[in-house]
Amino acid sequence: MTIGLCIPQGAQAQREFIAALDEAGLAGIAVGEHGLAPRLTNAMLAESDARGFPILATHPDTPFAAFGRTVAAANADSQTMGVLLLAKLYQIAGQRDAASRRSGADLGDLFGTRLTVFDEATGCILIGEGLLAPSVPRAHSLRTQRPSLFFVEEDSALDGFALLHLAQVLAVDVNTIIQEAMGRIREGAAAVELALNGRKEGQAALLEAWGGTGGAFRAVVTACDVALRVPLALALAGIPPTLTESADRIVLAVPVHELERVRTILGQLGTTSGVSAEHGDVADLSGAVAEAMSEYHNAQARQEPWREFSGKQVSLLARSRTEAEQIIASVLGPLASDEPRSVSLRETLFTYLDSDMRWNVTADELHLHRQSLVYRLDQVEAITNRSVRRTKDLSEFWLARSAWKLLHSSD
């Protein structure tokens, strides 16, 4: 605001004057009509129009203080609205349930935008719609236990101040969501491991995780090149993540009523999966896993995303004598021969499996010292290139044991 003493004379000087004010970041200029300002040239007005830089002529009876009060009142209204918006934000944050926390729709409605928060390592969407986040060039980091990012729609009217407070609320929500999901994943993995080892507490834990809907289940063996992506996706979808994950494959125990949802999610994740027949007793989990493992290998060979166990079962694990012979050759290798050393090691392995992997029981059954048993099983591992301590390898050993029973019923 000026009475005009700072305005230069002449068209070119006035043009440069407007340019300097605009480039300095001023919003406009108010010139008092007190007779002290030089004549405003057409060149000056043209420069103002070209830049969108307003020039306001004020009547002598309108004091500059009136402008100041008007601007201050406008800013006060804006600040008041901002404070009310933040108050509403924290009110909503304190009243949310798990479903609204996961959707983020209430916060999005408050700010007039769609919110999406995703886990950086797996790409799984933690807050918002969908399963995996797309590639986002402008995502904001959140201060969370696991690195996570969030983005809003490009046309969002969120200012930096509101964005800061929104990020704080989202960080709290994300930590809660992640803690709950990881807790379910750990509990499910522990239950599956125990159940695979024939432990009744593991079987009971699986039934509890399935909501007491009965013991009917199917095993699924799948693979994903991103660690934790499958468990986290299932946990976020509300499916009991009763699974165990190794370096190259994942074993799931799925209640039959959740199988289609699991299939949909695994399909979206682009995995290859093998599925067992339906089993009604959780005690059959090891056998079901072996079935699923067989179909997983078949799915890989045929490049099929989803392959279910089918055909008439002539035993729990093998559908034909030919398949049983193939299983034995693939898993046992040289241990399938009649050479005395192979027979001895094979008998040790089978006794170990039949004894539910209890070392003392196995040693007593074979009349061996524990160290001798350890040595024999080490030899089994070296020959078969499989471990008697890893779940996936134990599943394959059990499959071979069951196939052997089919072909050698007197053993």
Side-chain angles (χ1 to χ4, degrees), residues 146-160:
R146 285 178 56 86
S148 58
L149 304 171
F150 84 98
F151 59 93
V152 297
E153 294 174 325
E154 292 185 1
D155 58 352
S156 168
L158 275 168
D159 58 28

Side-chain angles (χ1 to χ4, degrees), residues 105-136:
D106 48 2
L107 297 183
D109 291 343
L110 178 63
F111 291 100
T113 187
R114 183 169 60 90
L115 301 174
T116 303
V117 183
F118 61 97
D119 181 69
E120 188 172 1
T122 64
C124 291
I125 292 178
L126 305 172
I127 297 176
E129 299 177 356
L131 184 66
L132 293 177
S135 176
V136 181

Side-chain angles (χ1 to χ4, degrees), residues 119 126 145-146 174-183 232:
D119 181 69
L126 305 172
Q145 294 174 348
R146 285 178 56 86
V174 166
N175 282 335
T176 300
I177 291 169
I178 285 293
Q179 287 174 1
E180 292 175 351
M182 295 303 293
L232 187 55

